Amino acid sequence: MTFRHRHLLGIEPLHPVEITTILDLADRYVDLNRGARKHGDALAGLTQVNMFFENSTRTQASFELAGKRLGADVMNMSMQASSIKKGETLIDTAMTLNAMHPDLLVVRHPHSGAVNLLAEKVNCAVLNAGDGRHEHPTQALLDALTIRRAKGRLHRLSIAICGDIAHSRVARSNILLLGKMENRIRLVGPPTLMPAGVADWGVEVFDDMRAGLEGVDVVMMLRLQKERMDGGFIPSEREYYHRYGLDAEKLSCARPDAIVMHPGPMNRGVEIDGTLADDINRSVIQEQVEMGVAVRMAAMDLLARNRAAPPAREVMA
Ligand code: NCD
């Protein structure tokens, strides 16, 4: 067994072999999900609680389906309407839940680090479903599975991550994962949307999109995260689309077999042309959603196995 963590809080503490373990198991779950009977029993008898303090459509649905397909009792807490609104702290909410003996806690929170803090307070396995600008590990894992299946490998690829890098936990987790697997990473976007300190990340940075896409195998687009901006990052959406929106013409700079990815939700006509996003010959956006369920099944399965015999020393950030 080559996955020894109690929690999945980020890509940072994972070893490449552990990443491969999750992806290999996820491949098996893809087959299960494509069959007529979609049930496994890896989580039978276990309770999974989804706590989303930020809106989510696909991630929450994906975790819910993943848990149900593996036989868990799944509960979605509506955190918008919860006692948080009445002033309860995150830790009090966590301790209350902990007393109900969940086995798996899936948490999305607007503050970076909130999920790690919560993991220190509860007895169950915690999965980070996105915390602020910090990490979104299952998104990076599902992106990796999509790339591995489309390209036949997950190393020595040239991958451009484009757009609003500064506000993106998806970019951060992907940079960590794709770097660990020895790919060449390019970040493409306006300097205002590049994070501070990017020069030390071991990536190439481009503000010209055509130059950044030259010869790449994978083009990963990101949503312009307007809710995390306090104004002044881009001149206008029209100008942004002109310079950084992915369309067929800019994509022609990439390799002829380059795939197009987007974690969703998409702003069509802002970061990506709608027709290109729907082009099944280039876009793997729907495959990403499919891989998401399988990756979450694999991650929860592995954590549930470790729950029975927790490792002596926790190896996580
Ligand atoms: C991403 C997220 O929430 O970080 N979406 C997702 O999980 N599918 C990216 C985004 O919101 O743009």
Side-chain angles (χ1 to χ4, degrees):
M1 162 81 122
T2 44
F3 183 86
R4 302 193 54 79
H5 300 268
R6 266 192 72 194
H7 307 294
L8 180 62
L9 301 177
I11 297 299
E12 178 131 49
L14 300 185
H15 188 276
V17 174
E18 294 175 313
I19 293 170
T20 303
T21 300
I22 301 175
L23 300 186
D24 290 349
L25 183 57
D27 261 330
R28 305 226 302 269
Y29 281 129
V30 173
D31 295 339
L32 180 79
N33 290 338
R34 287 183 179 179
R37 290 188 52 84
K38 299 174 174 50
H39 271 269
D41 59 5
L43 304 181
L46 302 186
T47 300
Q48 172 191 336
V49 176
N50 297 334
M51 284 170 89
F52 280 66
F53 295 90
E54 239 183 28
N55 287 337
S56 166
T57 313
R58 80 206 68 220
T59 306
Q60 184 167 347
S62 182
F63 267 110
E64 181 173 356
L65 205 51
K68 286 183 170 162
R69 289 202 175 148
L70 291 181
D73 294 316
V74 185
M75 182 177 81
N76 290 309
M77 298 268 297
S78 168
M79 300 318 292
Q80 318 297 335
S82 78
S83 43
I84 295 282
K85 286 268 183 290
K86 301 181 189 165
E88 187 173 76
T89 67
L90 174 64
I91 301 304
D92 283 337
T93 307
M95 295 315 287
T96 304
L97 267 176
N98 195 45
M100 298 178 196
H101 301 295
D103 301 286
L104 297 151
L105 200 53
V106 180
V107 188
R108 169 171 285 195
H109 199 281
H111 297 155
S112 305
V115 184
N116 291 52
L117 180 68
L118 206 137
E120 289 171 14
K121 307 286 176 191
V122 296
N123 299 322
C124 60
V126 176
L127 292 101
N128 182 0
D131 65 323
R133 305 176 187 190
H134 178 224
E135 280 235 39
H136 191 352
T138 56
Q139 180 70 45
L141 288 161
L142 76 87
D143 290 338
L145 185 62
T146 308
I147 294 170
R148 195 174 80 165
R149 291 173 68 103
K151 294 282 152 204
R153 68 180 200 276
L154 188 59
H155 58 275
R156 289 174 173 252
L157 292 167
S158 192
I159 298 166
I161 304 179
C162 310
D164 184 2
I165 317 275
H167 300 100
S168 178
R169 54 197 174 208
V170 175
R172 225 184 101 76
S173 288
N174 264 303
I175 292 164
L176 289 166
L177 191 156
L178 296 168
K180 281 175 196 270
M181 306 312 272
E182 298 186 6
N183 295 285
R184 288 182 51 192
I185 303 169
R186 298 178 178 188
L187 303 184
V188 182
T192 47
L193 294 178
M194 285 295 157
V198 74
D200 306 324
W201 289 11
V203 296
E204 287 179 273
V205 179
F206 294 82
D207 64 5
D208 180 85
M209 184 128 178
R210 289 175 186 82
L213 295 192
E214 192 64 49
V216 299
D217 301 287
V218 177
V219 182
M220 189 181 286
M221 300 307 300
L222 297 171
R223 183 173 65 88
L224 205 54
Q225 306 216 339
K226 293 176 231 168
E227 77 280 15
R228 296 193 203 283
M229 297 183 187
D230 38 23
F233 286 90
I234 57 162
S236 71
E237 286 187 1
R238 208 161 146 253
E239 175 71 10
Y240 183 81
Y241 182 67
H242 178 65
R243 297 198 52 184
Y244 297 104
L246 185 67
D247 56 14
E249 190 272 315
K250 293 193 193 84
L251 182 62
S252 69
C253 298
R255 281 178 58 108
D257 62 351
I259 54 169
V260 173
M261 307 179 74
H262 193 302
M266 276 184 279
N267 294 309
R268 289 172 185 260
V270 178
E271 68 260 357
I272 190 166
D273 169 57
T275 312
L276 180 57
D278 296 333
D279 178 355
I280 54 166
N281 295 314
R282 304 309 297 271
S283 161
V284 293
I285 296 170
Q286 293 306 318
E287 278 88 336
Q288 287 174 271
V289 178
E290 180 186 8
M291 295 310 125
V293 179
V295 150
R296 288 165 181 130
M297 291 166 83
M300 290 196 289
D301 177 348
L302 290 166
L303 289 173
R305 296 185 209 181
N306 288 351
R307 191 191 58 99
R313 192 170 61 87
E314 178 62 324
V315 221
M316 59 165 212

